[in-house]
Amino acid sequence: MCGIIGVTGSADALDILLDGLERLEYRGYDSAGVVLIDDEGISRVRIADGTHSVATLRKVTPEADHGQPAGIGHTRWATHGHPSERNAHPHLDCSGHVALVHNGIIENHAEIAAELVAAGHTLASDTDTEVLAHLIEDALKTGLSLTEAVRRVLRDVRGAFALGVVSMDDPELIVAARRVSPLIIGALGGQSFLASDIPALLERTRDLMVLDDDQIAELRPGSIVVTTIDGVVVTPPPLHVTWDVEAAQMGGFDDFMTKEIHEQPQAIADTLRGRVDADGRIVLDQLDLSDDDLRAITQVSVVACGSSFHAGLVAKYAFERWMRLPVEVDIASEFRYRDPVLHENALVVGVSQSGETVDTLQAMRKARESGAKVIVVSNVVDSSMAREAHGVLYTHAGPEVGVAATKTVVAQIVALELLGLRIAQVRGTLSADEIATELAALGSMGAIVAEAIARDDAVARVAAELADAREFFFLGRGTGYPTALEGALKLKEISYLHAEGYPGGELKHGPLAVIEPGCVVVAVATGGPLKEKMLSNVAEVKSRGATVVLVVDDGDALAAASGDYVLRVPAAPVLMAPIKDVVPLQQFAYHLARARGLDVDRPRNLAKTVTVE
Ligand code: AGP
């Protein structure tokens, strides 16, 4: 997830770009850059300075500013290519006449890059984006206008994009285009603007338009023409923004946690994007493990902390079913101080949103020293874990600001399940048809999660009824067990209420003694072979006086009848069920925390990234 911005027709173009980039930093800050353009030429400044990228850019850009009236800018969340100045946007074509900024992923960039290099182009970065500048360069050479050149190129690329493109041939013009990635445009008083998100433009204009998929906008000073990819002129519906800037930074949501819960379908889609080729082969290109390496694996060990550990637990069920290999999932702080037995052909998978959690990092180091192959599932490109592991599998959830992990957890489950299917594919433990079925099911999870998120009001009503409760148990069996652990962790973390997560079958071995009237038991009783057994556990706690909240699949009236309160979710295959079952549990924790007047984004005593033991 990156942020882009553009302006034409302004005496303050540079200030508009820099102010906008500051407002877009929440979308990533691995690097930042601008291009300013006029009849004299293109001036480009790029900085890779981590969290200070935009601030440093502001310090150094005055030298490049000669009052150019147009420009484009970018703040980067690295996906392809390390966070570095070389990979920072804007990117140029070979001649330096075309510059562009991009948010999204060009899925077929590798094959395009090979063709471009064979045709004599020189690529100056490791990004997926740069190929677009060279494709546009070639299209311009055939005599097309910039708009037509962009239109032609977009027909040949796969993936997601929001683009801003400028060319020396027509320096007042910015061509903007969108597929999947968000893009808004607006014009006011002789100036025209584009940006990834509303906050970037709110100080300039409140009257905006949202570009639709496969629409292309020609921005000239004070005027905008929008066409479809086929060249038909269209008028996007106007959007008048009434929020203030602070609210707009959170996309109109009250807090980052809500925003990030709503971003889960996108996180799932972005994590799946480009990872299956036309032949149905799962492509995890930064894994750096050959098919022979994957075939040689004799055991899998997952190490992680907190919510990432729960994602690992979900993966265990899928890995064992699909790969038929022994799988262990360890809390990293335990693993690193044990003497774990790792065979020569062990695969150790670190799971970490930040890629910096010290216990997970040390556990991975220990595994590496013992000779195991070590990979990491990380949301942060070039994190310490990504640098130290043999291979990386990135989740593409975008930056997560709320301390409570939400969208990164579902993205981790998706990424781990892709890994499981890849290994099963190579080892032949699943047939091509079975792999295709599982991939299709994973592909449908975004829509299912969106449907679950839309039921927030129902969850809020249940939370309001239980606002005075102080003791919570979360129960689940099978993949419902890690879901229950995650539900309990979310509740503890942001509401400061006591919550325990347990496997349903374990209750009678002790915890049942604690159950009494006043206790709330949240039971995950969605589909799967263990649902009846789960409902028996529910009967056990009900008979001891607990109040029961049941998470059940749509249409399961029998299960629903066992609960005092019911949270309904759409059904999904059992190995993927946690991806959607966790949604009402996130919302339940959220509403209980808000009812207690707490800051859900910054809970007490906690930090987003835990780099101390
Ligand atoms: C989750 O809501 C927590 N904030 C926490 O448990 C987190 O998952 C854990 O600290 C691991 O972080 P990581 O994924 O960055 O390694």
Side-chain angles (χ1 to χ4, degrees), residues 304-309 351-357 360 385 402-406 408-409 412 486 489-490 493 606-610:
C305 302
S307 293
S308 299
F309 169 71
V351 184
S352 175
Q353 176 279 132
S354 60
E356 302 293 343
T357 303
T360 309
M385 288 180 213
V403 165
T406 51
T408 55
V409 183
Q412 284 168 345
E486 179 62 7
L489 178 61
K490 286 290 94 90
E493 196 175 16
L606 301 177
K608 183 68 184 162
T609 302
V610 184

PDB file of all heavy atoms in Angstrom, residues 304-309 351-357 360 385 402-406 408-409 412 486 489-490 493 606-610, ligand 1:
ATOM      1  N   ALA A 304       6.222 -18.014  16.473  1.00  0.00           N
ATOM      2  CA  ALA A 304       5.580 -16.697  16.410  1.00  0.00           C
ATOM      3  C   ALA A 304       5.123 -16.291  17.801  1.00  0.00           C
ATOM      4  O   ALA A 304       5.190 -17.088  18.750  1.00  0.00           O
ATOM      5  CB  ALA A 304       4.367 -16.750  15.466  1.00  0.00           C
ATOM      6  N   CYS A 305       4.634 -15.050  17.925  1.00  0.00           N
ATOM      7  CA  CYS A 305       4.102 -14.542  19.183  1.00  0.00           C
ATOM      8  C   CYS A 305       2.696 -13.981  18.966  1.00  0.00           C
ATOM      9  O   CYS A 305       2.371 -13.511  17.872  1.00  0.00           O
ATOM     10  CB  CYS A 305       4.957 -13.394  19.710  1.00  0.00           C
ATOM     11  SG  CYS A 305       6.672 -13.828  19.960  1.00  0.00           S
ATOM     12  N   GLY A 306       1.913 -13.978  20.035  1.00  0.00           N
ATOM     13  CA  GLY A 306       0.621 -13.289  20.031  1.00  0.00           C
ATOM     14  C   GLY A 306      -0.289 -13.729  18.905  1.00  0.00           C
ATOM     15  O   GLY A 306      -0.472 -14.927  18.629  1.00  0.00           O
ATOM     16  N   SER A 307      -0.876 -12.750  18.227  1.00  0.00           N
ATOM     17  CA  SER A 307      -1.824 -13.061  17.158  1.00  0.00           C
ATOM     18  C   SER A 307      -1.154 -13.836  16.027  1.00  0.00           C
ATOM     19  O   SER A 307      -1.799 -14.664  15.371  1.00  0.00           O
ATOM     20  CB  SER A 307      -2.421 -11.772  16.608  1.00  0.00           C
ATOM     21  OG  SER A 307      -3.219 -11.167  17.583  1.00  0.00           O
ATOM     22  N   SER A 308       0.115 -13.562  15.798  1.00  0.00           N
ATOM     23  CA  SER A 308       0.823 -14.280  14.732  1.00  0.00           C
ATOM     24  C   SER A 308       0.937 -15.766  15.087  1.00  0.00           C
ATOM     25  O   SER A 308       0.888 -16.640  14.216  1.00  0.00           O
ATOM     26  CB  SER A 308       2.210 -13.673  14.517  1.00  0.00           C
ATOM     27  OG  SER A 308       2.080 -12.329  14.127  1.00  0.00           O
ATOM     28  N   PHE A 309       1.090 -16.051  16.374  1.00  0.00           N
ATOM     29  CA  PHE A 309       1.085 -17.442  16.842  1.00  0.00           C
ATOM     30  C   PHE A 309      -0.265 -18.093  16.537  1.00  0.00           C
ATOM     31  O   PHE A 309      -0.339 -19.242  16.088  1.00  0.00           O
ATOM     32  CB  PHE A 309       1.398 -17.455  18.345  1.00  0.00           C
ATOM     33  CG  PHE A 309       1.186 -18.780  19.028  1.00  0.00           C
ATOM     34  CD1 PHE A 309       2.038 -19.854  18.791  1.00  0.00           C
ATOM     35  CD2 PHE A 309       0.136 -18.946  19.920  1.00  0.00           C
ATOM     36  CE1 PHE A 309       1.835 -21.071  19.437  1.00  0.00           C
ATOM     37  CE2 PHE A 309      -0.070 -20.157  20.561  1.00  0.00           C
ATOM     38  CZ  PHE A 309       0.783 -21.224  20.318  1.00  0.00           C
ATOM     39  N   VAL A 351       6.489 -16.254  11.816  1.00  0.00           N
ATOM     40  CA  VAL A 351       5.325 -15.468  11.396  1.00  0.00           C
ATOM     41  C   VAL A 351       5.339 -14.178  12.221  1.00  0.00           C
ATOM     42  O   VAL A 351       5.335 -14.231  13.449  1.00  0.00           O
ATOM     43  CB  VAL A 351       4.003 -16.234  11.627  1.00  0.00           C
ATOM     44  CG1 VAL A 351       2.818 -15.427  11.083  1.00  0.00           C
ATOM     45  CG2 VAL A 351       4.046 -17.608  10.983  1.00  0.00           C
ATOM     46  N   SER A 352       5.384 -13.054  11.537  1.00  0.00           N
ATOM     47  CA  SER A 352       5.455 -11.791  12.263  1.00  0.00           C
ATOM     48  C   SER A 352       4.983 -10.640  11.387  1.00  0.00           C
ATOM     49  O   SER A 352       5.559 -10.417  10.320  1.00  0.00           O
ATOM     50  CB  SER A 352       6.902 -11.533  12.715  1.00  0.00           C
ATOM     51  OG  SER A 352       7.006 -10.262  13.311  1.00  0.00           O
ATOM     52  N   GLN A 353       3.980  -9.939  11.856  1.00  0.00           N
ATOM     53  CA  GLN A 353       3.509  -8.743  11.131  1.00  0.00           C
ATOM     54  C   GLN A 353       4.659  -7.782  10.937  1.00  0.00           C
ATOM     55  O   GLN A 353       4.933  -7.338   9.833  1.00  0.00           O
ATOM     56  CB  GLN A 353       2.374  -8.114  11.945  1.00  0.00           C
ATOM     57  CG  GLN A 353       1.806  -6.812  11.431  1.00  0.00           C
ATOM     58  CD  GLN A 353       2.627  -5.580  11.797  1.00  0.00           C
ATOM     59  OE1 GLN A 353       2.907  -4.762  10.919  1.00  0.00           O
ATOM     60  NE2 GLN A 353       3.053  -5.459  13.040  1.00  0.00           N
ATOM     61  N   SER A 354       5.337  -7.443  12.023  1.00  0.00           N
ATOM     62  CA  SER A 354       6.371  -6.411  11.977  1.00  0.00           C
ATOM     63  C   SER A 354       7.680  -6.928  11.391  1.00  0.00           C
ATOM     64  O   SER A 354       8.467  -6.160  10.850  1.00  0.00           O
ATOM     65  CB  SER A 354       6.644  -5.902  13.394  1.00  0.00           C
ATOM     66  OG  SER A 354       7.089  -6.984  14.204  1.00  0.00           O
ATOM     67  N   GLY A 355       7.921  -8.219  11.570  1.00  0.00           N
ATOM     68  CA  GLY A 355       9.224  -8.772  11.181  1.00  0.00           C
ATOM     69  C   GLY A 355      10.339  -8.347  12.118  1.00  0.00           C
ATOM     70  O   GLY A 355      11.523  -8.510  11.827  1.00  0.00           O
ATOM     71  N   GLU A 356       9.966  -7.776  13.283  1.00  0.00           N
ATOM     72  CA  GLU A 356      10.983  -7.263  14.212  1.00  0.00           C
ATOM     73  C   GLU A 356      10.861  -7.849  15.613  1.00  0.00           C
ATOM     74  O   GLU A 356      11.744  -7.597  16.438  1.00  0.00           O
ATOM     75  CB  GLU A 356      10.883  -5.735  14.332  1.00  0.00           C
ATOM     76  CG  GLU A 356      11.031  -4.975  13.028  1.00  0.00           C
ATOM     77  CD  GLU A 356      12.425  -5.077  12.421  1.00  0.00           C
ATOM     78  OE1 GLU A 356      13.372  -5.457  13.143  1.00  0.00           O
ATOM     79  OE2 GLU A 356      12.561  -4.804  11.213  1.00  0.00           O
ATOM     80  N   THR A 357       9.796  -8.557  15.912  1.00  0.00           N
ATOM     81  CA  THR A 357       9.582  -9.068  17.274  1.00  0.00           C
ATOM     82  C   THR A 357      10.804  -9.875  17.716  1.00  0.00           C
ATOM     83  O   THR A 357      11.177 -10.863  17.077  1.00  0.00           O
ATOM     84  CB  THR A 357       8.318  -9.945  17.315  1.00  0.00           C
ATOM     85  OG1 THR A 357       7.240  -9.146  16.855  1.00  0.00           O
ATOM     86  CG2 THR A 357       8.032 -10.470  18.694  1.00  0.00           C
ATOM     87  N   THR A 360      10.715 -13.792  18.163  1.00  0.00           N
ATOM     88  CA  THR A 360      10.573 -14.537  16.908  1.00  0.00           C
ATOM     89  C   THR A 360      11.879 -14.475  16.116  1.00  0.00           C
ATOM     90  O   THR A 360      12.327 -15.476  15.540  1.00  0.00           O
ATOM     91  CB  THR A 360       9.393 -13.973  16.086  1.00  0.00           C
ATOM     92  OG1 THR A 360       8.246 -13.903  16.938  1.00  0.00           O
ATOM     93  CG2 THR A 360       9.070 -14.848  14.884  1.00  0.00           C
ATOM     94  N   MET A 385      13.662  -9.755  10.104  1.00  0.00           N
ATOM     95  CA  MET A 385      13.418 -11.184   9.825  1.00  0.00           C
ATOM     96  C   MET A 385      13.511 -11.461   8.333  1.00  0.00           C
ATOM     97  O   MET A 385      14.058 -12.486   7.919  1.00  0.00           O
ATOM     98  CB  MET A 385      12.045 -11.602  10.341  1.00  0.00           C
ATOM     99  CG  MET A 385      11.978 -11.674  11.854  1.00  0.00           C
ATOM    100  SD  MET A 385      10.330 -12.185  12.384  1.00  0.00           S
ATOM    101  CE  MET A 385      10.199 -11.277  13.912  1.00  0.00           C
ATOM    102  N   GLY A 402      -3.262   0.332  14.371  1.00  0.00           N
ATOM    103  CA  GLY A 402      -3.835  -0.129  15.637  1.00  0.00           C
ATOM    104  C   GLY A 402      -2.940  -1.193  16.266  1.00  0.00           C
ATOM    105  O   GLY A 402      -2.439  -2.076  15.567  1.00  0.00           O
ATOM    106  N   VAL A 403      -2.729  -1.088  17.580  1.00  0.00           N
ATOM    107  CA  VAL A 403      -1.869  -2.078  18.247  1.00  0.00           C
ATOM    108  C   VAL A 403      -2.477  -3.476  18.138  1.00  0.00           C
ATOM    109  O   VAL A 403      -1.773  -4.472  17.973  1.00  0.00           O
ATOM    110  CB  VAL A 403      -1.634  -1.669  19.724  1.00  0.00           C
ATOM    111  CG1 VAL A 403      -1.068  -2.827  20.526  1.00  0.00           C
ATOM    112  CG2 VAL A 403      -0.677  -0.474  19.774  1.00  0.00           C
ATOM    113  N   ALA A 404      -3.793  -3.553  18.193  1.00  0.00           N
ATOM    114  CA  ALA A 404      -4.443  -4.864  18.071  1.00  0.00           C
ATOM    115  C   ALA A 404      -4.408  -5.309  16.609  1.00  0.00           C
ATOM    116  O   ALA A 404      -4.943  -4.639  15.729  1.00  0.00           O
ATOM    117  CB  ALA A 404      -5.883  -4.763  18.551  1.00  0.00           C
ATOM    118  N   ALA A 405      -3.739  -6.426  16.362  1.00  0.00           N
ATOM    119  CA  ALA A 405      -3.618  -6.919  14.984  1.00  0.00           C
ATOM    120  C   ALA A 405      -4.973  -7.413  14.488  1.00  0.00           C
ATOM    121  O   ALA A 405      -5.668  -8.164  15.182  1.00  0.00           O
ATOM    122  CB  ALA A 405      -2.598  -8.049  14.948  1.00  0.00           C
ATOM    123  N   THR A 406      -5.371  -6.975  13.320  1.00  0.00           N
ATOM    124  CA  THR A 406      -6.638  -7.440  12.727  1.00  0.00           C
ATOM    125  C   THR A 406      -6.373  -7.908  11.298  1.00  0.00           C
ATOM    126  O   THR A 406      -6.274  -9.091  11.034  1.00  0.00           O
ATOM    127  CB  THR A 406      -7.708  -6.327  12.758  1.00  0.00           C
ATOM    128  OG1 THR A 406      -7.155  -5.129  12.195  1.00  0.00           O
ATOM    129  CG2 THR A 406      -8.191  -6.055  14.155  1.00  0.00           C
ATOM    130  N   THR A 408      -3.740  -7.869   9.539  1.00  0.00           N
ATOM    131  CA  THR A 408      -2.502  -8.619   9.288  1.00  0.00           C
ATOM    132  C   THR A 408      -2.668 -10.092   9.668  1.00  0.00           C
ATOM    133  O   THR A 408      -2.021 -10.955   9.088  1.00  0.00           O
ATOM    134  CB  THR A 408      -1.310  -8.007  10.044  1.00  0.00           C
ATOM    135  OG1 THR A 408      -1.633  -7.932  11.433  1.00  0.00           O
ATOM    136  CG2 THR A 408      -0.968  -6.628   9.512  1.00  0.00           C
ATOM    137  N   VAL A 409      -3.539 -10.368  10.646  1.00  0.00           N
ATOM    138  CA  VAL A 409      -3.728 -11.769  11.056  1.00  0.00           C
ATOM    139  C   VAL A 409      -4.433 -12.559   9.943  1.00  0.00           C
ATOM    140  O   VAL A 409      -4.008 -13.667   9.597  1.00  0.00           O
ATOM    141  CB  VAL A 409      -4.552 -11.857  12.357  1.00  0.00           C
ATOM    142  CG1 VAL A 409      -4.671 -13.300  12.811  1.00  0.00           C
ATOM    143  CG2 VAL A 409      -3.918 -11.024  13.446  1.00  0.00           C
ATOM    144  N   GLN A 412      -2.021 -13.156   7.267  1.00  0.00           N
ATOM    145  CA  GLN A 412      -1.052 -14.216   7.610  1.00  0.00           C
ATOM    146  C   GLN A 412      -1.652 -15.597   7.359  1.00  0.00           C
ATOM    147  O   GLN A 412      -0.979 -16.498   6.827  1.00  0.00           O
ATOM    148  CB  GLN A 412      -0.664 -14.110   9.093  1.00  0.00           C
ATOM    149  CG  GLN A 412       0.298 -12.981   9.402  1.00  0.00           C
ATOM    150  CD  GLN A 412       0.430 -12.726  10.897  1.00  0.00           C
ATOM    151  OE1 GLN A 412      -0.383 -13.196  11.700  1.00  0.00           O
ATOM    152  NE2 GLN A 412       1.451 -11.985  11.284  1.00  0.00           N
ATOM    153  N   GLU A 486      -7.653 -16.123  19.668  1.00  0.00           N
ATOM    154  CA  GLU A 486      -7.524 -14.777  19.108  1.00  0.00           C
ATOM    155  C   GLU A 486      -8.637 -13.857  19.649  1.00  0.00           C
ATOM    156  O   GLU A 486      -8.391 -12.698  19.959  1.00  0.00           O
ATOM    157  CB  GLU A 486      -7.552 -14.857  17.571  1.00  0.00           C
ATOM    158  CG  GLU A 486      -7.456 -13.536  16.839  1.00  0.00           C
ATOM    159  CD  GLU A 486      -6.165 -12.748  17.086  1.00  0.00           C
ATOM    160  OE1 GLU A 486      -5.254 -13.277  17.746  1.00  0.00           O
ATOM    161  OE2 GLU A 486      -6.095 -11.592  16.648  1.00  0.00           O
ATOM    162  N   LEU A 489      -7.649 -12.880  23.142  1.00  0.00           N
ATOM    163  CA  LEU A 489      -6.539 -11.923  23.141  1.00  0.00           C
ATOM    164  C   LEU A 489      -7.020 -10.524  22.750  1.00  0.00           C
ATOM    165  O   LEU A 489      -6.654  -9.522  23.372  1.00  0.00           O
ATOM    166  CB  LEU A 489      -5.430 -12.392  22.180  1.00  0.00           C
ATOM    167  CG  LEU A 489      -4.222 -11.455  22.050  1.00  0.00           C
ATOM    168  CD1 LEU A 489      -3.513 -11.259  23.382  1.00  0.00           C
ATOM    169  CD2 LEU A 489      -3.233 -11.969  21.014  1.00  0.00           C
ATOM    170  N   LYS A 490      -7.865 -10.462  21.722  1.00  0.00           N
ATOM    171  CA  LYS A 490      -8.367  -9.143  21.303  1.00  0.00           C
ATOM    172  C   LYS A 490      -9.112  -8.477  22.453  1.00  0.00           C
ATOM    173  O   LYS A 490      -8.950  -7.293  22.695  1.00  0.00           O
ATOM    174  CB  LYS A 490      -9.315  -9.259  20.088  1.00  0.00           C
ATOM    175  CG  LYS A 490      -8.693  -9.547  18.760  1.00  0.00           C
ATOM    176  CD  LYS A 490      -7.885  -8.423  18.162  1.00  0.00           C
ATOM    177  CE  LYS A 490      -6.441  -8.572  18.528  1.00  0.00           C
ATOM    178  NZ  LYS A 490      -5.604  -9.326  17.645  1.00  0.00           N
ATOM    179  N   GLU A 493      -6.730  -7.381  25.275  1.00  0.00           N
ATOM    180  CA  GLU A 493      -5.803  -6.355  24.822  1.00  0.00           C
ATOM    181  C   GLU A 493      -6.423  -4.950  24.804  1.00  0.00           C
ATOM    182  O   GLU A 493      -5.794  -3.989  25.240  1.00  0.00           O
ATOM    183  CB  GLU A 493      -5.377  -6.751  23.401  1.00  0.00           C
ATOM    184  CG  GLU A 493      -4.181  -6.076  22.849  1.00  0.00           C
ATOM    185  CD  GLU A 493      -3.803  -6.660  21.490  1.00  0.00           C
ATOM    186  OE1 GLU A 493      -4.619  -7.366  20.859  1.00  0.00           O
ATOM    187  OE2 GLU A 493      -2.683  -6.389  21.050  1.00  0.00           O
ATOM    188  N   LEU A 606       1.047  -1.678  26.152  1.00  0.00           N
ATOM    189  CA  LEU A 606       1.420  -2.468  24.976  1.00  0.00           C
ATOM    190  C   LEU A 606       2.107  -1.605  23.928  1.00  0.00           C
ATOM    191  O   LEU A 606       2.012  -0.387  23.947  1.00  0.00           O
ATOM    192  CB  LEU A 606       0.178  -3.112  24.354  1.00  0.00           C
ATOM    193  CG  LEU A 606      -0.611  -4.042  25.286  1.00  0.00           C
ATOM    194  CD1 LEU A 606      -1.851  -4.552  24.568  1.00  0.00           C
ATOM    195  CD2 LEU A 606       0.252  -5.190  25.763  1.00  0.00           C
ATOM    196  N   ALA A 607       2.802  -2.266  22.997  1.00  0.00           N
ATOM    197  CA  ALA A 607       3.416  -1.561  21.868  1.00  0.00           C
ATOM    198  C   ALA A 607       3.109  -2.354  20.605  1.00  0.00           C
ATOM    199  O   ALA A 607       2.887  -3.558  20.657  1.00  0.00           O
ATOM    200  CB  ALA A 607       4.924  -1.467  22.060  1.00  0.00           C
ATOM    201  N   LYS A 608       3.106  -1.661  19.496  1.00  0.00           N
ATOM    202  CA  LYS A 608       2.808  -2.334  18.228  1.00  0.00           C
ATOM    203  C   LYS A 608       3.904  -3.339  17.884  1.00  0.00           C
ATOM    204  O   LYS A 608       3.638  -4.426  17.403  1.00  0.00           O
ATOM    205  CB  LYS A 608       2.653  -1.290  17.111  1.00  0.00           C
ATOM    206  CG  LYS A 608       2.263  -1.869  15.763  1.00  0.00           C
ATOM    207  CD  LYS A 608       0.844  -2.435  15.791  1.00  0.00           C
ATOM    208  CE  LYS A 608       0.453  -3.113  14.509  1.00  0.00           C
ATOM    209  NZ  LYS A 608      -0.710  -4.007  14.704  1.00  0.00           N
ATOM    210  N   THR A 609       5.137  -2.946  18.115  1.00  0.00           N
ATOM    211  CA  THR A 609       6.251  -3.845  17.790  1.00  0.00           C
ATOM    212  C   THR A 609       7.056  -4.094  19.057  1.00  0.00           C
ATOM    213  O   THR A 609       7.489  -3.140  19.712  1.00  0.00           O
ATOM    214  CB  THR A 609       7.138  -3.196  16.706  1.00  0.00           C
ATOM    215  OG1 THR A 609       6.319  -2.935  15.573  1.00  0.00           O
ATOM    216  CG2 THR A 609       8.270  -4.119  16.295  1.00  0.00           C
ATOM    217  N   VAL A 610       7.247  -5.367  19.377  1.00  0.00           N
ATOM    218  CA  VAL A 610       7.867  -5.707  20.661  1.00  0.00           C
ATOM    219  C   VAL A 610       9.309  -6.136  20.413  1.00  0.00           C
ATOM    220  O   VAL A 610       9.586  -7.290  20.081  1.00  0.00           O
ATOM    221  CB  VAL A 610       7.066  -6.812  21.375  1.00  0.00           C
ATOM    222  CG1 VAL A 610       7.656  -7.082  22.756  1.00  0.00           C
ATOM    223  CG2 VAL A 610       5.604  -6.391  21.512  1.00  0.00           C
TER     224      VAL A 610
HETATM  225  C1  AGP B   1      -1.920  -8.692  18.584  1.00  0.00           C
HETATM  226  O1  AGP B   1      -3.121  -8.013  18.645  1.00  0.00           O
HETATM  227  C2  AGP B   1      -0.850  -8.143  19.410  1.00  0.00           C
HETATM  228  N1  AGP B   1      -0.665  -6.755  19.297  1.00  0.00           N
HETATM  229  C3  AGP B   1       0.393  -8.968  19.536  1.00  0.00           C
HETATM  230  O2  AGP B   1       0.033 -10.171  20.125  1.00  0.00           O
HETATM  231  C4  AGP B   1       1.210  -9.265  18.264  1.00  0.00           C
HETATM  232  O3  AGP B   1       0.502 -10.140  17.437  1.00  0.00           O
HETATM  233  C5  AGP B   1       2.564  -9.875  18.686  1.00  0.00           C
HETATM  234  O4  AGP B   1       3.265  -8.932  19.460  1.00  0.00           O
HETATM  235  C6  AGP B   1       3.394 -10.326  17.515  1.00  0.00           C
HETATM  236  O5  AGP B   1       3.784  -9.256  16.711  1.00  0.00           O
HETATM  237  P1  AGP B   1       4.414  -9.515  15.306  1.00  0.00           P
HETATM  238  O6  AGP B   1       3.397 -10.167  14.453  1.00  0.00           O
HETATM  239  O7  AGP B   1       4.792  -8.137  14.805  1.00  0.00           O
HETATM  240  O8  AGP B   1       5.622 -10.383  15.495  1.00  0.00           O
END
